[in-house]
Amino acid sequence: MEIRRLTDADGQAVLDLNEMSVTLTGPLDGESLASNVAIASEALICEIDGTVAAFAIAYAPGTAYGSANYRWHTARFDDFLYLDRIVVGADFRRRGIGTALYDALEQVARAHGRMVCEVNSEPPNHESLAFHHGRGYLDIGHLTHPDGHQVVMMEKPL
């Protein structure tokens, strides 16, 4: 397992992974991926035997990232690392890849004092909520989006 920076060569694999989880992560195309990675603080992939098994994208404050979830955290904190999306391919789950990516991102987030994210609460993503609570993430609020889905906002002080 190798965790490294996402490169242009990883683009299609990242788009394919995102598409498999699009209902949880939101859509992503080549143009939006490139623009998001350009302003991200961290854009990582996990590669196993030459295959992109997972990816994660995170932002610090002060970027032009337009996410309502990112803006929610920006309105409440001066400094943070916001994990926007993380996807682990179905064939690679339950191998510690998500944990390894979180470990790497939380190490970067220490300089910011906290890592923040959101998890779907309506409809609920029970597995993700349990994962985050198990890592010490705290529920700090809720946000309802125009389409009716709700997220619980989470913070891990570091």
Side-chain angles (χ1 to χ4, degrees), residues 67-69 71 122 143-151:
S67 158
N69 299 322
R71 288 192 308 271
E122 191 55 49
L143 180 63
T144 301
H145 288 271
D147 67 1
H149 90 274
Q150 297 174 7
V151 294

Side-chain angles (χ1 to χ4, degrees), residues 8-157:
D8 290 344
D10 303 314
Q12 189 58 54
V14 167
L15 293 174
D16 292 345
L17 282 172
N18 192 79
E19 189 60 31
M20 290 180 218
S21 297
V22 73
T23 58
L24 299 172
T25 60
L28 197 60
D29 61 24
E31 185 178 325
S32 61
L33 175 61
S35 63
N36 289 349
V37 168
I39 63 172
S41 291
E42 292 294 324
L44 303 176
I45 65 125
C46 177
E47 187 174 39
I48 296 178
D49 297 328
T51 300
V52 175
F55 76 95
I57 302 174
Y59 303 89
T63 72
Y65 189 54
S67 158
N69 299 322
Y70 173 78
R71 288 192 308 271
W72 190 95
H73 290 294
T74 298
R76 285 156 181 82
F77 299 113
D78 291 331
D79 203 2
F80 56 82
L81 184 67
Y82 167 68
L83 177 58
D84 177 62
R85 67 182 70 217
I86 181 169
V87 176
V88 178
D91 293 341
F92 296 96
R93 293 184 184 146
R94 303 275 185 234
R95 296 189 193 181
I97 294 169
T99 296
L101 283 169
Y102 268 79
D103 289 347
L105 291 168
E106 288 172 4
Q107 187 62 36
V108 172
R110 288 189 188 291
H112 299 279
R114 70 184 45 85
M115 191 152 108
V116 297
C117 62
E118 79 285 334
V119 175
N120 288 345
S121 57
E122 191 55 49
N125 185 337
H126 297 293
E127 187 174 298
S128 184
L129 288 167
F131 174 83
H132 285 87
H133 290 144
R135 288 190 69 88
Y137 283 79
L138 308 170
D139 298 358
I140 57 171
H142 292 85
L143 180 63
T144 301
H145 288 271
D147 67 1
H149 90 274
Q150 297 174 7
V151 294
V152 60
M153 300 309 215
M154 304 184 97
E155 172 197 18
K156 182 175 183 180

